[in-house]
Amino acid sequence: IDRNLIRRRVREAYRLNKHRLLPNPTTETSAIPPAHIAFLYTAKQIISFEEIEKGMKLALKQLSVTS
């Protein structure tokens, strides 16, 4: 049950913030090659959605800067 709760929280955090990773289609015309992304949850306890979302925003920001 805990694993599914965490999985749902991570998926929702990604769904709400994936636009940070993708370029704005109206301003950028260069095509970005597809990529596979995996998120690993390594915390010992279950953390709140807000904390997961904060970490997701940071990770996607770093990915968008490096690509």
Side-chain angles (χ1 to χ4, degrees):
I1 295 173
D2 293 340
R3 182 185 61 172
N4 291 334
L5 173 68
I6 294 166
R7 187 183 309 159
R8 283 193 306 268
R9 287 180 180 177
V10 170
R11 283 182 181 167
E12 184 66 8
Y14 176 75
R15 186 186 72 80
L16 292 173
N17 295 291
K18 65 183 175 184
H19 65 277
R20 297 173 185 272
L21 185 59
L22 302 174
N24 187 351
T26 59
T27 60
E28 295 184 30
T29 58
S30 63
I32 294 179
H36 297 281
I37 301 171
F39 297 101
L40 301 176
Y41 186 89
T42 58
K44 299 281 184 194
Q45 66 278 1
I46 299 174
I47 59 176
S48 69
F49 174 76
E50 289 76 20
E51 292 181 64
I52 291 174
E53 187 175 31
K54 187 171 99 176
M56 182 68 68
K57 287 178 182 178
L58 179 63
L60 293 177
K61 181 180 176 184
Q62 290 176 347
L63 279 173
S64 68
V65 169
T66 59
S67 59

